[in-house]
Amino acid sequence: MAKVLVAGAGTMGTGIARVVAQHRHDVTIMDSSAEQASKSMAAIREQFDKLVDQGKLGEMEKAQLVSGIRAVSHWPEEPFDIMIEAVAENMEVKQQVFRQMEALSTVQTVLASNTSSLGISQIASSVQCPDQVIGIHFFNPPGVMNLVEIVKGIHTRSDIVETSKQFVLSIGKKPVEVKEAPGFVVNRMLVPMLNEAIFVYMEGVASAEDIDEAMRLGANHPMGPLALADLIGLDVVLHVMETLYREFADSKYRPAPLLKRMVRGGMLGRKSKMGFYSYQ
Ligand code: 3HC
């Protein structure tokens, strides 16, 4: 059992914390907003209640799992084995969080980022121990998606890579090691496809429902690209596209103008209750 800290109690942080707790690790969720931290805890309890209702979890087991999680709004003072940052996709914010995490680390601690596309080595440049920094990239929804990309930075030590892989296996996921590159493997291919769907919608080729239906039935995708963009968060989709566009300097990665307009207008998908669909 590892002592795990998840920094950032948004969609991904909450989902990651729940999966980690479900596999009997001791979890601390840290968010500087006390309101967000308690919302996250409430969402995890709700998910466990659902499992109890489905007969997949007993009441006693649920109580044990819940007692293994705490949500805090101030940085704790004790050391952790694994720390996973899942805050906003902003380099400065991430580097600040990493400096806080470094203060709670030992020489063996894994300092991980769940970034969708930012450079691990750049995040690592903010701390004294860049060899302990790695990407542990989960997919949304973290409770359901089985893949985790393990992204090695230029300085990452091999024992940190190994500990990260063992940790990912311990929570029932499949780790895939990828080199540090914009969008890693999945986002580099998946997100441009979502962006293309937004172009198709913007050009009026078909309605949102029909675009999604076409890709569900015509390509056997579990959900349509516009519904998936709403699930991931349109701000995250835009951020990945902007990173790919900037890093590769290739026009094939230009974000759809409609995507930019929607994000600027606060339409972020499910999390803002409005995207290509309404979630009121
Ligand atoms: N959180 C937690 N659990 C969820 C969930 C959520 N948001 N959405 C669905 N689930 C669970 C349900 O509880 C259900 O579990 P159960 O079988 O134990 O009851 C199971 O998933 C199946 O759910 P549903 O029957 O309601 O719905 P679907 O069968 O349509 O599955 C889906 C929903 C799993 C989201 C499926 O549509 C899917 O796999 N979609 C594609 C998701 C995807 O591609 N994710 C990757 C995005 S890229 C990314 O995240 C990287 C980032 O960096 C941008």
Side-chain angles (χ1 to χ4, degrees):
M1 192 179 90
K3 263 189 85 178
V4 180
L5 179 132
V6 178
T11 313
M12 292 304 287
T14 301
I16 294 166
R18 178 171 74 90
V19 177
V20 172
Q22 240 172 308
H23 288 82
R24 314 282 168 184
H25 295 293
D26 181 77
V27 183
T28 299
I29 305 168
M30 158 63 202
D31 196 295
S32 52
S33 154
E35 191 192 344
Q36 192 61 38
S38 69
K39 264 194 197 165
S40 172
M41 197 67 213
I44 292 174
R45 279 211 190 88
E46 212 175 283
Q47 291 276 343
F48 286 156
D49 285 342
K50 200 178 138 196
L51 292 179
V52 171
D53 291 345
Q54 291 172 338
K56 293 179 182 165
L57 193 68
E59 280 289 354
M60 279 250 298
E61 217 183 345
K62 182 192 110 183
Q64 273 172 359
L65 292 182
V66 170
S67 70
I69 315 173
R70 64 177 171 152
V72 297
S73 55
H74 292 285
W75 286 96
E77 288 184 2
E78 73 271 19
F80 289 86
D81 302 311
I82 315 259
M83 291 195 252
I84 306 170
E85 164 278 309
V87 302
E89 288 291 277
N90 174 306
M91 184 56 79
E92 266 176 44
V93 176
K94 286 194 188 287
Q95 289 186 333
Q96 222 177 333
V97 168
F98 267 78
R99 282 192 286 270
Q100 296 279 3
M101 298 200 309
E102 180 182 32
L104 309 179
S105 65
T106 69
V107 74
Q108 266 101 35
T109 301
V110 170
L111 294 170
S113 175
N114 179 54
T115 181
S116 306
S117 62
L118 291 175
I120 297 303
S121 301
Q122 195 180 348
I123 294 174
S125 69
S126 61
V127 294
Q128 309 283 327
C129 53
D131 55 349
Q132 290 175 235
V133 177
I134 193 162
I136 298 188
H137 181 222
F138 289 80
F139 293 83
N140 195 354
V144 184
M145 305 304 286
N146 288 327
L147 178 74
V148 174
E149 288 176 323
I150 302 284
V151 190
K152 197 170 179 278
I154 197 158
H155 298 295
T156 314
R157 281 194 332 245
S158 54
D159 62 303
I160 294 290
V161 175
E162 200 41 46
T163 308
S164 303
K165 281 188 186 165
Q166 291 308 323
F167 167 68
V168 167
L169 288 169
S170 81
I171 57 170
K173 310 266 178 220
K174 163 88 180 140
V176 167
E177 197 178 323
V178 304
K179 292 221 173 73
E180 185 173 14
F184 316 131
V185 170
V186 175
N187 282 349
R188 176 157 168 195
M189 290 181 265
L190 178 69
V191 179
M193 190 272 287
L194 305 185
N195 189 51
E196 199 58 34
I198 301 170
F199 270 111
V200 171
Y201 176 66
M202 194 183 89
E203 289 164 14
V205 176
S207 67
E209 290 80 4
D210 284 351
I211 291 169
D212 278 350
E213 179 113 308
M215 291 305 282
R216 270 201 317 271
L217 302 183
N220 250 357
H221 288 188
M223 68 200 299
L226 299 176
L228 180 55
D230 275 357
L231 174 71
I232 293 172
L234 301 188
D235 51 339
V236 177
V237 172
L238 177 59
H239 187 268
V240 173
M241 289 310 297
E242 281 171 340
T243 303
L244 294 174
Y245 188 40
R246 189 179 58 245
E247 294 291 320
F248 289 112
D250 188 331
S251 64
K252 75 178 175 186
Y253 296 114
R254 74 212 180 285
L258 175 63
L259 173 63
K260 288 193 197 168
R261 278 210 302 280
M262 289 174 80
V263 172
R264 285 176 190 153
M267 292 170 72
L268 307 181
R270 285 196 197 195
K271 63 182 149 189
S272 70
K273 301 202 184 321
M274 183 55 83
F276 292 100
Y277 299 95
S278 168
Y279 303 90
Q280 297 297 339

